[in-house]
Amino acid sequence: MASPTSPIQPGQSSAPIDPACVRRTFARPQRLQDSQFMRREVAQRMHERLQLVRLAPQDVLDAGCGEGADLPLLQSSYPAARLLGLDAAPAMLALAQSRQLGAMSSVNRLLSKWLPQAVLPGRQGAPLLVAGDFAQLPLAANAVDLVWSSLALHWHPQPDQVFAEWRRVLRTDGLLMFSCFGPDTFKELRSAFAEMDAAPHSLPFVDMHDFGDMLVQAGFATPVMDMETITVTYDTAEKLLADVRAWGGNPLATRRRGLCGARGWRRMLAALEQFRRADGKLGLSFEIIYGHAFRPAQRTTASGEAIIRFDLGKK
C-alpha cells in the first residue's frame, strides 16, 4: 500500500479501497447529511475559482454529483449548457432526481399563480442523471467541455485511471476542475487511533504533487494545484466521530473487522482529548486539494506521427 508520502506509480492503487464498501456507504444518503456543510463550503470555493476562467461550455459533467447539490450552481453559471450528473450510487441519484423534481414543481406552482394561462416548462432543460464509474464513463470521446468533481476523487482507488478517462471525454481546450481531501485530513484522528492499535482507520489521502504528476501523465496541460486547511471544531469527541462517519467512514479493505476493546477505545479517546484547543474545542483538520487543467490539442496521430501546426499570417 502506498503511504501518503510515497509517489504513486502509474497503475498503482492510491489505497486498498473496497469499492463495495463505498457503494454501501453512499446507498444510505441520510447517514451523510451531517457532512453537507463542508461539501457546500468546498463547492462554493471551487465555484469562485471557476469564475476566474473564461469558459463557455456546451456540455458539463459533474463527476460524483451525489445528491446533485452542485448542479444548480453550475446551471446558474452556464445557463445554456447541457448538464450531466454522474455518480456510482443509485440512491444518491434518486435523491438528486427527487430534489430536482421538487424544485421544478415549486417553479411551476409559482408560474401558475402569476401566469395561470402560461404553458409551464417541462423537464427538457433539466440535468441528466446517470449511474457510472469515474474510470469507465458511459460517454463518447470528446463529449464535454467541462468536467467538475467536488470531494469525490478520493473515494476511487486508481485516480490515474480516472484522470485518463476524464481527459478522454473532454474536448480540446476543455477544462477539468476538481477538489478532494489531502494527506493531512483527519490527522488528529489518525494520531489518536494509533494509540489504540496499528490498523488503518482512515484513508491515506494522496498528496497534491502526486495528483499533478498524474495529470501530466494522463495528457493534461499546465495543471495547477493548490491546497488549504480547514479546521472544524467540536464540543465533544462523540460529535467529531459522528461527523467522520458521515464523511463515509473507513472504506479500506484492510480495515479492522472486529469490535474495539473498551480499554483500547478509552486510550483512543484520551489521545483525542490531547487535541483540545485553548478555547476548549476539539479541532479536526481537513486538507482540501484543488486542481484544474486543460486538455491540449492533439500533438500526434494515432500511429504516433507528430502533428505540426503552422500559423500562416495573411500577406
Side-chain angles (χ1 to χ4, degrees), residues 91-162:
M92 299 298 288
L93 291 173
L95 181 58
Q97 184 174 39
S98 175
R99 293 183 174 182
Q100 183 173 285
L101 289 172
M104 295 192 71
S105 296
S106 298
V107 172
N108 286 351
R109 286 195 298 270
L110 182 62
L111 287 175
S112 63
K113 177 181 178 180
W114 295 104
L115 302 170
Q117 304 302 319
V119 177
L120 301 181
R123 299 188 65 249
Q124 182 177 358
L128 179 64
L129 302 172
V130 177
D133 187 333
F134 283 172
Q136 294 180 319
L137 294 173
L139 297 173
N142 310 306
V144 300
D145 306 289
L146 170 63
V147 173
W148 162 286
S149 183
S150 180
L151 295 183
L153 181 61
H154 48 257
W155 296 114
H156 201 286
Q158 294 186 297
D160 60 330
Q161 293 185 8
V162 175

Side-chain angles (χ1 to χ4, degrees), residues 18 36 111 143 152 167 176 233 242 247 264 282 287:
D18 181 355
Q36 290 303 319
L111 287 175
R167 182 192 181 280
L176 164 64
T233 58
W247 278 107
L282 280 172
E287 179 184 335

Side-chain angles (χ1 to χ4, degrees), residues 91-246:
M92 299 298 288
L93 291 173
L95 181 58
Q97 184 174 39
S98 175
R99 293 183 174 182
Q100 183 173 285
L101 289 172
M104 295 192 71
S105 296
S106 298
V107 172
N108 286 351
R109 286 195 298 270
L110 182 62
L111 287 175
S112 63
K113 177 181 178 180
W114 295 104
L115 302 170
Q117 304 302 319
V119 177
L120 301 181
R123 299 188 65 249
Q124 182 177 358
L128 179 64
L129 302 172
V130 177
D133 187 333
F134 283 172
Q136 294 180 319
L137 294 173
L139 297 173
N142 310 306
V144 300
D145 306 289
L146 170 63
V147 173
W148 162 286
S149 183
S150 180
L151 295 183
L153 181 61
H154 48 257
W155 296 114
H156 201 286
Q158 294 186 297
D160 60 330
Q161 293 185 8
V162 175
F163 286 143
E165 184 69 349
W166 287 351
R167 182 192 181 280
R168 182 186 69 82
V169 301
L170 273 171
R171 297 179 180 125
T172 298
D173 296 326
L175 174 67
L176 164 64
M177 177 165 280
F178 70 95
S179 65
C180 59
F181 289 158
D184 278 348
T185 301
F186 303 155
K187 63 181 181 180
E188 300 88 352
L189 196 63
R190 280 198 297 273
S191 178
F193 270 110
E195 297 297 318
M196 186 179 74
D197 59 31
H201 291 271
S202 69
L203 292 177
F205 300 106
V206 178
D207 184 83
M208 72 172 182
H209 299 98
D210 289 336
F211 278 135
D213 291 342
M214 291 181 205
L215 287 167
V216 172
Q217 291 167 358
F220 283 96
T222 59
V224 176
M225 308 294 304
D226 67 302
M227 59 79 65
E228 63 179 337
T229 299
I230 300 175
T231 302
V232 180
T233 58
Y234 298 89
D235 292 324
T236 67
E238 289 74 19
K239 176 56 177 170
L240 183 152
L241 292 167
D243 271 14
V244 170
R245 286 190 289 271

